[in-house]
Amino acid sequence: MSARGTDLGALGRELLPIALEAAERAGTLLRDSRPDDLGVAATKSSAIDVVTEMDIASEKLIRDFLAERRPDDGLLGEEGADTAGSSGVRWIVDPIDGTVNYLYGRPDWAVSIAAECDGETVAGVVAAPIRGETSRAVLGGGAYRGERRLRCNPAPPLERALIGTGFGYVRERKIGQAAVLRALVPDLRDVRRSGSAAIDLCDVAAGRLDGYYERGLNPWDYAAGELIAREAGAVTGGRPGVPLSGELAVAAPPGLFEALRGRLEELGAWHDDHPAG
């Protein structure tokens, strides 16, 4: 029970169908209405951190849909929506996670929608229309893709782990991330970089990756995917004793999580001052 006496699992089950419908509507819009001449509408942290007109259209569709269904809820969206609400529920929305992939016509992008109550995520949906996949989870209810229950892989030794990661768009941060990766790669089976944190976290949940780490995420990047990974059996967190955050995000099954996070701690993966050791 939360501080407000709410059954968070029941609340998640109530909110999940709304999140699924919102994600399906946005995904259909993005898949079917992408202009052939799609271009950059704005930039954020740097000139290569882009926003397209479809990011804006997708967030508006989701925001309007949620306002109609849940008018008293708050909403935090990547493209600027930030309302407090009065119900204790807040939606965290990434209208396109993997915008650069979407801009280039690559398939690894997703609509990510999570609902939280009293700061705890209770429902999450990651819809990847070009993959034809929607992953979902409710707090305490497991993670699913269609009828299939998702379960992360049993923990391999670090040297046999396939790990996903990502990079920021600010030059100084990329230099630090590249230094960490250069030192980490020899310790692993291999590394993958999809360009979408939400998809990477769902791939941990589905066993397509053994683990994942990244620095510099925002809540909308990870809110839904983290819940899906946790409900599939993964451990998530940041530095030792610290929850997953923009400073550092790590997700992996028990056993691998500790080894991966320990190595990232040694390499200083939570900050941008490198070279790494």
Side-chain angles (χ1 to χ4, degrees):
M1 304 287 280
S2 77
R4 297 177 181 225
T6 302
D7 181 332
L8 296 182
L11 178 62
R13 292 190 294 274
E14 175 187 340
L15 298 177
L16 181 65
I18 299 171
L20 283 165
E21 186 173 351
E24 180 182 4
R25 291 187 179 202
T28 299
L29 170 74
L30 293 165
R31 183 192 63 214
D32 296 347
S33 301
R34 182 186 182 279
D36 292 335
D37 61 348
L38 179 67
V40 174
T43 58
K44 293 180 284 188
S45 63
S46 73
I48 56 174
D49 186 6
V50 300
V51 180
T52 71
E53 62 190 88
M54 297 304 291
D55 289 87
I56 298 166
S58 176
E59 184 163 305
K60 182 179 187 305
L61 182 156
I62 295 166
R63 184 177 67 243
D64 291 350
F65 176 80
L66 294 176
E68 178 183 335
R69 293 296 186 91
R70 302 274 308 184
D72 297 327
D73 293 351
L75 187 143
L76 175 66
E78 180 177 13
E79 307 312 333
D82 189 1
T83 55
S86 59
S87 67
V89 171
R90 182 173 74 157
W91 298 88
I92 304 176
V93 173
D94 195 336
I96 310 178
D97 188 60
T99 295
V100 172
N101 287 341
Y102 184 78
L103 179 65
Y104 278 78
R106 297 180 61 85
D108 285 334
W109 56 268
V111 179
S112 175
I113 301 177
E116 67 173 20
C117 180
D118 296 341
E120 183 159 10
T121 306
V122 298
V125 172
V126 175
I130 306 305
R131 283 187 168 201
E133 297 175 347
T134 297
S135 304
R136 68 188 190 276
V138 167
L139 182 66
Y144 292 84
R145 181 176 290 152
E147 297 304 311
R148 176 194 167 203
R149 183 157 187 169
L150 300 179
R151 298 188 188 278
C152 63
N153 290 334
L158 186 63
E159 63 270 18
R160 293 209 297 271
L162 182 65
I163 301 297
T165 193
F167 305 103
Y169 290 105
V170 177
R171 183 176 184 275
E172 292 73 17
R173 175 156 294 171
K174 285 197 290 186
I175 290 170
Q177 289 170 322
V180 169
L181 184 61
R182 181 172 181 240
L184 181 64
V185 163
D187 300 334
L188 308 173
R189 181 190 294 274
D190 209 344
V191 172
R192 297 291 181 266
R193 190 271 201 267
S194 77
S196 166
I199 285 177
D200 285 342
L201 286 162
C202 290
D203 280 352
V204 172
R208 290 173 175 166
L209 292 169
D210 293 311
Y212 165 78
Y213 80 93
E214 189 165 348
R215 168 164 165 74
L217 297 181
N218 292 293
W220 48 79
D221 297 315
Y222 63 76
E226 184 203 13
L227 178 66
I228 292 165
R230 281 195 285 114
E231 288 295 328
V235 179
T236 65
R239 297 189 68 193
V242 179
L244 184 154
S245 71
E247 183 180 56
L248 183 65
V250 186
L256 177 60
F257 175 85
E258 293 79 7
L260 177 59
R261 184 176 65 177
R263 185 67 178 121
L264 293 168
E265 181 75 7
E266 292 173 0
L267 296 173
W270 71 92
H271 63 81
D272 300 328
D273 300 326
H274 287 278

